[in-house]
Amino acid sequence: MQYSEIMVRYGELSTKGKNRKSFIGRLNGNIAKALHDFDDLTIRPKRDRTHIELNGTPAEPVMDRLSKVFGIQSFSPSVAVEKDMDKVKQVALELMNEAAAKGVTFKVETHRSDKTFPLDTNGMNLALGDFLTEERPDLIAKMKNPDVKLRVEVRREAIFLSTTTIKGAGGLPVGTAGKAAMMLSGGIDSPVAAYLALKRGVDIEMVHFFSPPYTSDNALNKAKELTAKLTPYVGSITFIGVPFTHTQEEIKAKVPEGYLMTIQRRMMLRLTEAIANKRGDLVIFNGESVGQVASQTLASMAAINDVTTMPIVRPVATMDKTEIIAEAEKIDTYELSIMPFEDCCTIFAPPAPKTQPRIDRSRYYETKIDVEGLMEEALSNLSIDVIRPGQEFLNQDQDIIAELL
């Protein structure tokens, strides 16, 4: 079936009251970014739904992109028919023949925005329902929970028919909740946390710490490729690389082993806050899950958070590892996350880190390093890239194979 348009329905936007218009505007912009390379489309946002006129473009690749746009509750590929009931009936039959197997239940559901059309909602439902049961006597009309629903939109320009409703990504349009810095490691948890932040409408910038030569180029590229996995949900994501080698070396040389991880994380958080303040980010997101590792006990979180007053949001804090892995598999980051390129969080990890570090001891040990000098050095050497859908950073060449072995 050659579809004429895709009708997009909004999700939580229906509850946003006076902000509804701005939310729809943001969603429209995100849809346009997601579909930027489909030159023939016409996007028409309305109060209750958005209409994407295909103008000859195949529907399938467009729908694949739409499935990743947050703020969409569902969407339906539709066929436009002129306001001639004989033609409407024939297209309705074609759609039902394509969608409805023998003996299934069905329902006709009409929405009439053009009040000048002679048949009202009930009249259209009856006319099409009677016609379909005559042409397909095997079909069974059912008003509640039918197998197939024929949706009819009577609009000023035409009548639109559809039998397919596809669930959207839900959530809120990215950007409607403000902007945040996301602390991205190379592991499983932080990409899932980033995905959940995007789903709640947060426009994120990735902050990734790397420590050459202790960490390889492949470790950095892995973090960039994880970012690329998430870009279809937003269009593009800024990736900020923070050089962390000298800081880690200083901490290793001057801080007792049990507090290495705590002081290291305190410095990471300080640097992330400085970057967030400079770039207008309102909060910090990370992938911490309570009790999963030594640095994520409540005592560790308290000792690390001591360095900032900026809000920290942890979307996966109460999820267990099995739940996080399932989400990572769903968004296709899991296989990439488990590639064994060491990141800077693991290279100097002590064998017995403090699981109950004290805030006063953390502050004391931090006096042994030049906090301000190390921060200034790192902040003056940031690398900033804009990552877009389809970009690849890891190539399966001999260097990667050798590192994996």
Side-chain angles (χ1 to χ4, degrees), residues 29-48:
N30 292 348
I31 290 173
K33 282 199 296 184
L35 303 177
H36 69 95
D37 51 344
F38 292 95
D39 296 330
D40 295 328
L41 301 181
T42 304
I43 303 173
R44 301 190 187 281
K46 306 289 185 182
R47 176 175 172 78
D48 57 347

Side-chain angles (χ1 to χ4, degrees), residues 100-250:
K102 187 175 181 179
V104 303
T105 59
F106 83 102
K107 174 184 178 181
V108 180
E109 184 175 277
T110 301
H111 176 81
R112 187 179 68 138
S113 59
D114 180 8
K115 304 303 182 183
T116 66
F117 189 71
L119 287 177
D120 63 11
T121 297
N122 289 332
M124 185 65 102
N125 290 341
L126 288 170
L128 290 176
D130 290 346
F131 172 76
L132 290 171
T133 52
E134 289 172 6
E135 296 295 319
R136 288 278 307 270
D138 59 293
L139 295 177
I140 303 166
K142 185 181 180 184
M143 294 302 101
K144 291 186 178 180
N145 302 316
D147 298 313
V148 180
K149 187 180 293 185
L150 175 66
R151 295 181 181 272
V152 183
E153 291 263 339
V154 182
R155 306 210 299 264
R156 184 175 58 185
E157 65 272 25
I159 294 175
F160 292 80
L161 305 177
S162 175
T163 55
T164 303
T165 298
I166 300 166
K167 186 178 179 181
L172 297 172
V174 174
T176 55
K179 190 162 161 275
M182 174 73 220
M183 298 177 73
L184 179 75
S185 70
I188 299 169
D189 302 344
S190 56
V192 172
Y195 166 81
L196 294 173
L198 291 169
K199 188 172 184 178
R200 297 312 303 159
V202 180
D203 187 5
I204 58 173
E205 297 187 308
M206 299 299 197
V207 178
H208 177 75
F209 294 84
F210 64 104
S211 297
Y214 305 105
T215 59
S216 67
D217 289 343
N218 284 328
L220 178 61
N221 288 334
K222 172 185 168 182
K224 289 182 178 180
E225 195 144 326
L226 283 169
T227 301
K229 288 280 188 182
L230 297 170
T231 53
Y233 299 102
V234 60
S236 65
I237 297 175
T238 299
F239 182 94
I240 303 169
V242 186
F244 205 52
T245 306
H246 189 200
T247 300
Q248 286 195 288
E249 289 174 338
E250 285 291 294

Side-chain angles (χ1 to χ4, degrees), residues 170-339:
L172 297 172
V174 174
T176 55
K179 190 162 161 275
M182 174 73 220
M183 298 177 73
L184 179 75
S185 70
I188 299 169
D189 302 344
S190 56
V192 172
Y195 166 81
L196 294 173
L198 291 169
K199 188 172 184 178
R200 297 312 303 159
V202 180
D203 187 5
I204 58 173
E205 297 187 308
M206 299 299 197
V207 178
H208 177 75
F209 294 84
F210 64 104
S211 297
Y214 305 105
T215 59
S216 67
D217 289 343
N218 284 328
L220 178 61
N221 288 334
K222 172 185 168 182
K224 289 182 178 180
E225 195 144 326
L226 283 169
T227 301
K229 288 280 188 182
L230 297 170
T231 53
Y233 299 102
V234 60
S236 65
I237 297 175
T238 299
F239 182 94
I240 303 169
V242 186
F244 205 52
T245 306
H246 189 200
T247 300
Q248 286 195 288
E249 289 174 338
E250 285 291 294
I251 294 170
K252 173 71 172 176
K254 297 177 180 179
V255 172
E257 188 175 80
Y259 274 81
L260 289 180
M261 187 64 69
T262 303
I263 304 306
Q264 177 178 294
R265 295 297 178 92
R266 282 166 66 95
M267 286 298 293
M268 286 181 169
L269 192 53
R270 273 196 178 92
L271 285 162
T272 303
E273 180 188 38
I275 292 167
N277 284 329
K278 185 176 181 179
R279 298 183 62 83
D281 300 326
L282 300 174
V283 301
I284 295 169
F285 277 72
N286 67 31
E288 290 178 341
S289 175
V290 175
Q292 192 176 119
V293 295
S295 65
Q296 295 174 20
T297 64
L298 294 183
S300 287
M301 289 182 183
I304 294 165
N305 285 18
D306 176 56
V307 303
T308 181
T309 57
M310 182 171 281
I312 300 173
V313 182
R314 300 173 173 87
V316 301
T318 60
M319 296 170 67
D320 63 34
K321 199 66 176 183
T322 302
E323 292 171 319
I324 297 171
I325 288 172
E327 198 74 14
E329 289 174 335
K330 185 182 81 172
I331 63 175
D332 194 29
T333 58
Y334 177 71
E335 293 298 331
L336 184 56
S337 290
I338 63 174
M339 293 182 74

